[in-house]
Amino acid sequence: MADKLEADKHVRYILMAEKKKESFESVVMDHLRMNGAYWGLTTLDLLDKLGSVSQDEVVSWVMTCQHESAGGFAGNTGHDPHVIYTLSAVQILALFDKLSILDVQKVSSYIAGLQNEDGSFSGDIWGEVDTRFSYIAICCLSILKCLDKINVEKAVDYIVSCKNLDGGFGCTPGAESHAGQIFCCVGALAITGNLHHVDKDLLGWWLCERQDYESGGLNGRPEKLPDVCYSWWVLSSLIMIDRVHWIENGKIVKFILDCQDMDNGGISDNPKDAVDIFHTYFGVAGLSLLESKNN
Amino acid sequence: MHGRPRKAASKPEASAAKALKLRSVQSQFMSNHHRKIYTQEAIQLSAKLLAINPEAYTAWNYRKLAVEDNLSRIDDSDPSLVNSILNEELEVVAIALRRNLKSYGAWYHRKWVLSKGHCSLEKEMQLLNKYQKLDLRNFHAWNYRRFVVELTKTSPQDELQYTTDLINDVSFSNYSAWHNRSALLSSLVSKKPDGFMPKETIRRELDYVHNAIFTDEDDQSAWFYYLWLLDQTVKMETPLRTSSWPSDGSIIILSGPGCFNGSSSSKFTTFCSESASFPLILYFDQAVSGVSSSTVTIDSELQGNQDLVWEPVSDKNSQLSCVWVARLKFDSTEPCFRKENKVKVSLGKSQGIVSSRGCNLSAPFEFVFTVHIHDTVGEPQEGIVSWTDGFDNWDAQSKDLNSLITSDQLNADTGFEWRKQAIKIEIECFRDLHDSKFGKLILARLLMAEETMISDDAVKGVHYNEILQLYNDLMALNSSHDQYYKDEHSVALLHKVTSSTGMYRRMSRHLFLYRNMNNIVCLRLNNLTLSRIAAVEKFLFVQMLDLSHNELHSAEGLEAMQLLCCLNLCHNRIRSFSALDSLRHLKQLRVLDVSHNDMGGKHPVDTTRYLCSRPLSNSAEIGRQVPCKYWDAYLVLRDLKKLKQLDIIRGNDLIAGEEFSSFVRQVVPKLVWLDGHKLAS
């Protein structure tokens, strides 16, 4: 049982994972390397070690992933563009304070062009619609300071149409509430100043019920297992609606710390499983939200 | 990594070989994709890639391009050719789903194929039924089901039956099925002209969910569904006016500029206004829009009050609010003062006041109050306001509370009696289950619901003690959520303490008169361990409010108190200025004490920031003269134009000293007293 965050071990884990490009695990995730880079780099930044990577190398690789004509970014060089990777690319550049190298007009037009009649957003030209993409579009454009390129009112209307009777949000109208989708919808509403559409008490209670009494961890929806990544989705949602005091801080901190791999570094979804960059990021990010004395 | 155990012994050589093979497939695929090669061989390679890795999203894109390319080459009048191409895709998706039933790319590809028409929808439903039995909670399957159901035009009733079958035959523990059920019932209801869920449906569903609850008390799905049904039982769809100031039948004395001084020997409480106007406050039970001079008519002898401007007390972005305010002007020099001026307010005669769900205000409603205007004596007082000295008890005999507030009853609509009965039945059922966490929580909520429906004054308030005890039990039983139960406890406590009728009639014990400000009414709610503000609709008439020595972390809820001129929030747990955002709306505020809180301390996470009206514009509108680090203080203080006395530095971690003091003086030019010291003019 761990009692503190093993920051150095996690830094080493991330730096090594970055170099291990040819393991099977890495090749099978080739297509989302942009996300992986964002998770790894943000974790390093949270742990004050962003300087351990070569900024120029990362930035020039990021730019190879931008599609010349479309303007959006792909998950890796040669793959197709998609908003998911476009957001990660912009976030990485923002981390390094290098947004100035972007053709903002081009990137923002790519995203704005994916808004549909009903206010929703498609992930790419193939038309899949999901509130994740609404959040991604709004978050990305707000970083680039051009939210005015989309119809914010309609975007908000679409998100509100995905609100469920338990106070939560799903990926499309009628879809079941899920903590990840809730984070996306609440986040988008927060950025655009529309949190009055959220029933904070109803949703706050649904979210605080994600906490597992025994392990202290959070799950993503009722009757599911706790998972470290929900430390982020659930916690930041609760923070945005000012209901985070409804869950027990100490227990979540303990759960996250218990998910660390004390030998190899990294954090996993639960204490028994293998670690990965995704959960390492969400574990560290979750801890940063909890103002843990271990930080 | 989900499902991969930590100490997995994977031989590095085997892993490296697998990696190389995948690499080569991927490179070949990419080459085909970039060169737009859509031969059979190339297409099969993409299938091979997707079988190994269904998450390779570019391969799904490629396949769509290949399908479109092939369809453009064939004779599309031959349906069997088209079908064979599309069925090939469905087969590839099925293989991918076998590998990962949660692959977004796979599910979307299937949807894309189906959207072209031609495929058998019946086969899709069969496949779905199979998938859903494998994993009841797979939301991809449920979403896809909704898509297919729309295409097949299956009736909501049939889908409702499907959820019943799943719940009965497979498992009660199926949140997804219950969720779908609630969505189907809601959409059925919204198609009806009156929009209400019929009582027969509610009764049937309550009985059905009781079955699930009493079979397995620990399963959450049924509890959440039950709480939604409870909401349907209690809430009326259409908005109601809950409270107002002035209230029906009340007599208010208004005093004009310069009134905050001296003492009044009046039998009635005097309301002071320095602007020769007073607010007319409407408080609704849910957020509404459309309150305006066309939907609310004022019939009054006070001059100059045509075409009133009604404003929602809410964020600038929102035209929806529970609280609406207009200002009625009066002229204290006119000969009409000391005369009785009747004011009649009517709402609901013309449609237009609508809730966020599109329901109109139920029935036309009107209330009448009387206004006396008194003259003012003497000069405006500049002395410091004390929270401890100069108070007299509220004299229950000579001062009639009913002249200030009336307890509004829930309008009896045609469903009212049925709702009361239904709640009674539920309370009976849940008294037996009261040992479990959900049992206690639901019983507490049922009792609160019944409390709001009690119209007999003699028994109003009967439930509060039991409700408070239930929340105390819950805090002990389920300490993970004790702050949630604490908040609910505070809400119930406030309702009990501010009740003016019924068994407790508590409020008069908390009311005082402040001599030095013309006997304005002070409500003391200090030292009650309150963590949350509630029941504000019961004390809208209060001008001086003491909430000190509690556990409040936000001023949320106080925005409705449009008459408030003195507020004490010292010794609470307020951590940031953004938590005081509600105070922006209290334009009459003259005295504010927020000392001895947690402000300015090392709190990296601001939990009230996004609830402010403009969370991201922390630098744009401030300009260069105001230090950026005080942006949240600026946004709260700049609207308090009448603020004369502020206590803020003591007991907070704010940067004391010249910088903050001069910032405050700049933003609040009329300030006279800062932290107990008189400012040089």
Side-chain angles (χ1 to χ4, degrees):
Chain A
M1 295 288 122
D3 59 357
K4 72 174 174 72
L5 181 68
E6 299 285 344
D8 291 336
K9 295 194 174 135
H10 302 317
V11 170
R12 249 175 287 136
Y13 167 74
I14 291 169
L15 294 174
M16 276 184 43
E18 197 270 330
K19 293 190 175 63
K20 266 209 223 137
K21 289 194 199 121
E22 293 314 313
S23 71
F24 182 72
E25 289 76 28
S26 188
V27 177
V28 94
M29 306 235 252
D30 221 36
H31 62 280
L32 54 70
R33 197 170 170 79
M34 189 65 75
N35 291 155
Y38 166 70
W39 298 323
L41 292 167
T42 309
T43 311
L44 290 175
D45 186 47
L46 283 170
L47 299 175
D48 233 349
K49 289 277 192 288
L50 190 59
S52 325
V53 298
S54 157
Q55 175 179 304
D56 290 336
E57 223 178 274
V58 175
V59 169
S60 62
W61 165 76
V62 166
M63 294 314 288
T64 67
C65 299
Q66 184 174 28
H67 261 247
E68 210 25 66
S69 53
F73 285 76
N76 207 337
T77 322
H79 293 243
D80 287 352
H82 193 287
V83 291
I84 292 179
Y85 310 110
T86 306
L87 175 62
S88 289
V90 168
Q91 286 172 318
I92 291 170
L93 292 175
L95 259 183
F96 286 124
D97 209 3
K98 279 261 182 268
L99 284 171
S100 52
I101 69 171
L102 271 180
D103 179 346
V104 172
Q105 162 75 3
K106 199 160 151 184
V107 181
S108 57
S109 297
Y110 169 72
I111 293 181
L114 289 166
Q115 184 170 30
N116 301 309
E117 267 304 304
D118 62 358
S120 67
F121 282 84
S122 299
D124 62 12
I125 53 170
W126 295 107
E128 183 188 1
V129 168
D130 189 316
T131 46
R132 285 178 296 149
F133 308 146
S134 301
Y135 167 72
I136 284 167
I138 287 171
C139 181
C140 195
L141 291 177
S142 83
I143 295 174
L144 297 174
K145 300 198 206 295
C146 39
L147 262 177
D148 54 337
K149 287 194 96 158
I150 56 166
N151 186 331
V152 174
E153 200 184 315
K154 277 199 151 172
V156 167
D157 285 344
Y158 181 75
I159 291 170
V160 172
S161 76
C162 297
K163 188 163 55 164
N164 291 320
L165 301 163
D166 49 21
F169 294 82
C171 43
T172 46
E176 187 184 336
S177 299
H178 179 281
Q181 305 294 149
I182 289 169
F183 166 79
C184 291
C185 293
V186 173
L189 292 174
I191 293 172
T192 56
N194 279 283
L195 278 176
H196 52 271
H197 288 292
V198 177
D199 185 333
K200 303 193 287 289
D201 289 332
L202 185 60
L203 178 58
W205 183 67
W206 190 93
L207 285 169
C208 84
E209 281 292 316
R210 299 304 104 242
Q211 185 162 33
D212 177 39
Y213 187 63
E214 299 216 1
S215 67
L218 300 168
N219 64 23
R221 42 187 183 134
E223 302 297 314
K224 285 265 166 174
L225 294 171
D227 180 330
V228 151
C229 64
Y230 294 111
S231 313
W232 174 262
W233 308 125
V234 173
L235 272 184
S236 54
S237 302
L238 282 169
I239 283 172
M240 286 189 273
I241 59 173
D242 190 24
R243 296 289 184 272
V244 70
H245 58 288
W246 284 356
I247 49 171
E248 194 176 335
N249 241 356
K251 278 186 153 183
I252 298 179
V253 170
K254 180 175 183 310
F255 178 78
I256 298 173
L257 294 178
D258 286 346
C259 291
Q260 299 177 100
D261 183 337
M262 304 304 264
D263 301 320
N264 305 315
I267 299 177
S268 54
D269 61 314
N270 68 55
K272 296 196 293 288
D273 284 350
V275 301
D276 56 46
I277 301 276
F278 176 83
H279 289 97
T280 305
Y281 163 67
F282 286 111
V284 173
L287 283 173
S288 74
L289 288 179
L290 289 168
E291 301 173 37
S292 164
K293 294 182 187 63
N294 291 298
N295 289 1
Chain B
M1 179 71 72
H2 304 131
R4 266 186 54 221
R6 190 165 280 193
K7 313 249 188 267
S10 61
K11 301 191 189 65
E13 307 85 32
S15 169
K18 270 202 319 188
L20 270 173
K21 180 165 171 243
L22 181 57
R23 253 285 172 251
S24 109
V25 170
Q26 260 172 217
S27 312
Q28 184 58 48
F29 159 75
M30 277 302 174
S31 165
N32 294 339
H33 177 47
H34 292 153
R35 286 153 58 204
K36 302 197 205 302
I37 298 174
Y38 305 121
T39 60
Q40 270 306 302
E41 196 188 331
I43 294 177
Q44 268 162 28
L45 183 73
S46 74
K48 190 168 167 184
L49 174 56
L50 287 168
I52 303 172
N53 186 6
E55 305 316 305
Y57 70 98
T58 305
W60 292 114
N61 295 350
Y62 166 85
R63 286 196 78 91
K64 295 181 181 68
L65 287 164
V67 163
E68 290 186 334
D69 183 72
N70 280 334
L71 285 177
S72 71
R73 288 174 203 282
I74 59 159
D75 174 13
D76 54 10
S77 65
D78 181 351
S80 69
L81 273 176
V82 172
N83 277 337
S84 85
I85 293 175
L86 297 180
N87 283 332
E88 174 70 23
E89 296 312 299
L90 296 182
E91 193 43 45
V92 171
V93 170
I95 292 171
L97 287 178
R98 252 174 283 184
R99 191 153 182 101
N100 179 7
L101 201 56
K102 300 180 184 180
S103 167
Y104 282 96
W107 283 103
Y108 182 66
H109 194 70
R110 203 172 187 96
K111 190 172 171 181
W112 182 83
V113 169
L114 263 283
S115 304
K116 296 215 168 293
H118 308 285
C119 298
S120 158
L121 294 173
E122 213 181 277
K123 265 176 89 175
E124 291 308 293
M125 287 300 267
Q126 281 170 9
L127 199 66
L128 264 171
N129 291 342
K130 185 182 106 187
Y131 283 138
Q132 290 201 288
K133 291 213 166 53
L134 281 175
D135 181 358
L136 296 168
R137 301 297 303 281
N138 187 314
F139 61 80
H140 298 274
W142 280 102
N143 291 346
Y144 189 70
R145 188 186 183 88
R146 271 180 279 273
F147 164 70
V148 176
V149 157
E150 175 113 11
L151 287 177
T152 59
K153 311 232 183 293
T154 310
S155 73
Q157 280 83 0
D158 281 345
E159 277 301 287
L160 206 58
Q161 188 57 44
Y162 177 73
T163 67
T164 311
D165 294 339
L166 270 183
I167 291 167
N168 291 351
D169 303 336
V170 184
S171 171
F172 276 144
S173 170
N174 192 338
Y175 193 91
S176 309
W178 289 107
H179 159 78
N180 218 41
R181 205 177 171 81
S182 69
L184 288 163
L185 284 170
S186 282
S187 74
L188 278 172
V189 159
S190 66
K191 293 190 176 74
K192 290 162 61 70
D194 62 10
F196 285 86
M197 189 131 115
K199 60 186 178 188
E200 297 80 18
T201 311
I202 298 182
R203 185 74 259 153
R204 177 194 78 206
E205 293 297 311
L206 279 172
D207 292 337
Y208 186 52
V209 79
H210 276 185
N211 224 358
I213 290 175
F214 295 119
T215 304
D216 181 2
E217 273 176 45
D218 287 326
D219 183 73
Q220 292 200 345
S221 332
W223 292 107
F224 280 96
Y225 189 74
Y226 179 84
L227 282 163
W228 171 67
L229 281 178
L230 176 57
D231 219 41
Q232 297 298 300
T233 311
V234 172
K235 273 207 181 112
M236 307 227 288
E237 287 256 319
T238 61
L240 282 177
R241 194 213 59 146
T242 315
S243 172
S244 67
W245 188 86
S247 58
D248 189 33
S250 63
I251 302 168
I252 60 165
I253 318 285
L254 293 171
S255 192
C259 59
F260 285 119
N261 59 287
S263 62
S264 166
S265 57
S266 163
K267 186 162 99 96
F268 297 99
T269 306
T270 307
F271 290 90
C272 302
S273 167
E274 296 204 324
S275 57
S277 69
F278 66 96
L280 177 52
I281 311 171
L282 293 175
Y283 200 110
F284 297 90
D285 70 333
Q286 48 184 292
V288 294
S289 64
V291 174
S292 70
S293 53
S294 27
T295 49
V296 180
T297 47
I298 317 278
D299 207 341
S300 128
E301 292 151 341
L302 296 170
Q303 299 301 329
N305 286 306
Q306 290 78 30
D307 284 333
L308 279 183
V309 175
W310 285 91
E311 292 197 337
V313 179
S314 71
D315 307 327
K316 288 191 174 66
N317 281 342
S318 173
Q319 278 303 301
L320 278 167
S321 178
C322 289
V323 186
W324 286 80
V325 181
R327 296 203 73 86
L328 273 85
K329 295 194 275 293
F330 64 91
D331 191 337
S332 58
T333 62
E334 273 274 313
C336 73
F337 75 75
R338 285 194 176 278
K339 186 174 84 120
E340 265 191 18
N341 297 287
K342 274 202 156 31
V343 180
K344 181 164 86 171
V345 182
S346 317
L347 34 149
K349 285 207 181 115
S350 56
Q351 300 257 308
I353 299 178
V354 224
S355 72
S356 59
R357 288 169 68 191
C359 301
N360 276 290
L361 186 72
S362 45
F365 190 89
E366 62 181 41
F367 59 101
V368 181
F369 56 91
T370 313
V371 175
H372 289 246
I373 300 161
H374 282 193
D375 52 10
T376 62
V377 178
E379 300 289 310
Q381 187 222 38
E382 294 292 341
I384 199 165
V385 165
S386 157
W387 286 93
T388 48
D389 304 317
F391 289 87
D392 293 319
N393 285 328
W394 175 271
D395 183 349
Q397 264 91 33
S398 73
K399 305 231 182 241
D400 187 6
L401 254 186
N402 286 336
S403 73
L404 296 172
I405 49 165
T406 45
S407 52
D408 289 325
Q409 293 156 334
L410 270 179
N411 281 343
D413 76 331
T414 47
F416 190 69
E417 273 312 308
W418 177 81
R419 290 171 201 279
K420 268 176 87 167
Q421 266 310 107
I423 298 292
K424 262 199 157 39
I425 295 171
E426 294 309 304
I427 290 175
E428 295 287 315
C429 289
F430 279 91
R431 285 205 186 283
D432 293 329
L433 261 183
H434 67 83
D435 272 338
S436 77
K437 157 190 146 180
F438 272 104
K440 283 186 197 287
L441 182 61
I442 289 187
L443 185 58
R445 293 209 191 167
L446 283 165
L447 292 171
M448 274 298 263
E450 189 172 71
E451 191 50 60
T452 59
M453 290 178 159
I454 292 176
S455 42
D456 180 359
D457 270 357
V459 291
K460 242 175 136 67
V462 62
H463 290 314
Y464 287 129
N465 281 342
E466 187 178 357
I467 295 168
L468 292 170
Q469 186 55 52
L470 282 165
Y471 283 121
N472 281 330
D473 292 347
L474 281 163
M475 281 188 256
L477 183 68
N478 178 208
S479 57
S480 295
H481 298 328
D482 66 350
Q483 288 304 305
Y484 168 70
Y485 303 127
K486 185 83 182 45
D487 277 3
E488 294 290 278
H489 184 281
S490 295
V491 170
L493 183 59
L494 273 169
H495 276 279
K496 175 182 170 184
V497 153
T498 58
S499 41
S500 54
T501 54
M503 295 176 64
Y504 292 103
R505 273 186 290 260
R506 274 262 144 76
M507 177 130 68
S508 49
R509 302 184 213 180
H510 295 267
L511 289 172
F512 298 83
L513 299 171
Y514 186 53
R515 251 177 272 135
N516 296 352
M517 280 174 90
N518 209 5
N519 283 336
I520 61 168
V521 184
C522 175
L523 178 64
R524 287 203 188 277
L525 296 173
N526 48 317
N527 293 90
L528 290 173
T529 71
L530 296 171
S531 58
R532 188 169 171 161
I533 295 166
V536 169
E537 66 272 18
K538 293 185 169 167
F539 49 91
L540 290 176
F541 64 91
V542 165
Q543 287 192 279
M544 196 168 175
L545 180 61
D546 185 354
L547 281 167
S548 64
H549 297 272
N550 278 300
E551 296 168 22
L552 299 171
H553 69 278
S554 155
E556 188 185 356
L558 288 179
E559 60 277 359
M561 303 209 52
Q562 293 294 300
L563 290 169
L564 205 59
C565 60
C566 304
L567 175 63
N568 190 351
L569 285 169
C570 77
H571 290 279
N572 273 285
R573 296 189 186 166
I574 295 171
R575 296 165 18 141
S576 66
F577 276 100
S578 58
L580 296 176
D581 192 64
S582 293
L583 302 185
R584 282 189 301 114
H585 301 284
L586 303 182
K587 306 260 199 297
Q588 307 306 312
L589 213 54
R590 294 165 42 100
V591 174
L592 175 63
D593 187 343
V594 291
S595 61
H596 298 278
N597 275 282
D598 253 332
M599 292 170 68
K602 291 259 175 282
H603 300 294
V605 181
D606 183 349
T607 63
T608 38
R609 175 188 175 151
Y610 288 103
L611 300 173
C612 299
S613 60
R614 299 236 179 100
L616 289 182
S617 63
N618 50 348
S619 53
E621 50 184 275
I622 291 179
R624 268 175 273 273
Q625 62 273 30
V626 176
C628 265
K629 62 175 138 168
Y630 301 132
W631 71 272
D632 46 358
Y634 174 74
L635 289 175
V636 172
L637 294 174
R638 69 164 175 182
D639 283 340
L640 302 181
K641 296 194 175 2
K642 298 194 179 162
L643 198 63
K644 285 191 155 36
Q645 178 176 327
L646 177 64
D647 282 78
I648 191 163
I649 302 281
R650 231 170 306 149
N652 284 319
D653 239 331
L654 289 165
I655 296 115
E658 218 15 67
E659 190 190 38
F660 190 73
S661 301
S662 71
F663 157 73
V664 170
R665 293 214 298 275
Q666 191 189 331
V667 178
V668 192
K670 288 207 176 145
L671 202 65
V672 175
W673 299 93
L674 180 60
D675 290 290
H677 303 293
K678 187 157 188 176
L679 294 172
S681 38

